[in-house]
Structure formats: C-alpha cells, structure tokens
Amino acid sequence: MTNNKSGQIVGISSILGKFTKANRASYTCSKHAMTAIFDTLRSELEEHNIAVTSINPGYIQSNVGQNALMSEPGKRSDVKDAFWYKGMKTDEFATQTVKAIYRRENECHISINWIQNPFRILIRCVCPDLADYVNSYYSKTDLAANMKQHKPKN
C-alpha cells in the first residue's frame, strides 16, 4: 500500500475502546489498545494516502458481547447480557460498516443509541471525573438489569 500510495485498513473494535465498563476488564483493555493502534497507524500512514477506519460498535446481537461478560476475572459468565436484546441486528451493523468503509471515515461509532455513546466519549475528553461517574452509573444499571432478568423464580 505504501508503494502504491493508496489503500485502506479497516479494523473492528468496540465503543468500549473509548470508555470503560465494569466486569469487562480484558475486553475493554484490548479495545483501548486497538484504538491506540488505529490512531497511530492513521497518523503514520496519512502521508501515503492510506486510510485507517476504526469501526466501534455498541451492542450488536452477536455472541461477542456475551463472550466478554465475565462473572469473575478469567471466567465466562453463563448469564445472558440483558442489553443484547436491545442491540442492533447484525445485518444493519454490516450495512453501516460498509457505508463507513466506502466514505473512508476515520472512526465510526455504530449503535442503536446513537446519542448516548458519542456523548459519553465527549464527556471522557472534557471531564474525566464525570465520565468515571457516568461509567459507574451505567455499570450499576447494567448489573441491575441483568440481575432482574435472571432473578430465580420461586
């Protein structure tokens, strides 16, 4: 690509590469690392006319999020993530991904909740303490939703 002075690198990361979430340390850390790699590649390859597109989905109805949910560090949870059901269908995600690639976007945040995730990213940049509070709030909300969904029946 550098010899041809043209090309595009596309990586699928996660919105969790932009902020954190409780009980997903391994997943979140790996996505933050991917964000750093994409940002670095973008700056290094710009002079060669090579685009680097980072696709950062929110909840998608696939097994990726389920595999990331841990009951404790190092152990996969048998609990289904309650927000999986509110996630975007995989075909819609694919359509939006192809559009972002075609437009050669630097980053594309794909989510059903199109306002919440960019707002959380902005808060993280402007006021990290508030971002930590918001992340803690959403982590507790997620935990409560999962507990309510999987409450044992008497």
Side-chain angles (χ1 to χ4, degrees):
M1 284 191 271
T2 55
N3 289 340
N4 294 333
K5 296 280 189 190
S6 177
Q8 184 173 16
I9 297 170
V10 179
I12 308 293
S13 183
S14 171
I15 197 67
L16 291 181
K18 295 295 186 176
F19 51 83
T20 60
K21 190 165 191 169
N23 300 318
R24 297 187 187 218
S26 298
Y27 183 83
T28 301
C29 288
S30 70
K31 299 311 175 184
H32 273 78
M34 289 179 72
T35 297
I37 290 168
F38 297 144
D39 290 349
T40 303
L41 284 173
R42 193 175 299 114
S43 65
E44 291 176 353
L45 298 174
E46 180 182 32
E47 67 184 89
H48 300 288
N49 193 35
I50 298 170
V52 178
T53 300
S54 175
I55 307 294
N56 303 309
Y59 284 104
I60 306 296
Q61 291 185 359
S62 72
N63 66 345
V64 173
Q66 179 62 26
N67 291 339
L69 185 62
M70 296 183 298
S71 57
E72 57 186 78
K75 292 186 179 179
R76 183 171 173 226
S77 174
D78 292 329
V79 175
K80 188 89 169 164
D81 189 338
F83 291 91
W84 182 89
Y85 299 102
K86 295 180 181 180
M88 180 180 287
K89 302 277 188 203
T90 53
D91 57 343
E92 176 60 24
F93 167 70
T95 299
Q96 289 191 35
T97 298
V98 169
K99 288 178 182 177
I101 293 167
Y102 179 77
R103 291 189 300 256
R104 295 173 66 96
E105 294 181 20
N106 287 341
E107 287 189 319
C108 180
H109 308 297
I110 300 174
S111 178
I112 293 252
N113 193 344
W114 61 272
I115 190 68
Q116 177 187 16
N117 290 329
F119 181 68
R120 288 173 75 179
I121 294 167
L122 177 64
I123 290 174
R124 185 86 188 139
C125 295
V126 175
C127 186
D129 290 340
L130 179 58
D132 289 341
Y133 175 80
V134 170
N135 288 335
S136 176
Y137 171 81
Y138 278 108
S139 293
K140 290 174 186 172
T141 303
D142 291 355
L143 179 61
N146 277 323
M147 297 294 281
K148 183 178 178 182
Q149 178 184 358
H150 298 286
K151 187 177 180 181
K153 296 177 182 175
N154 294 336

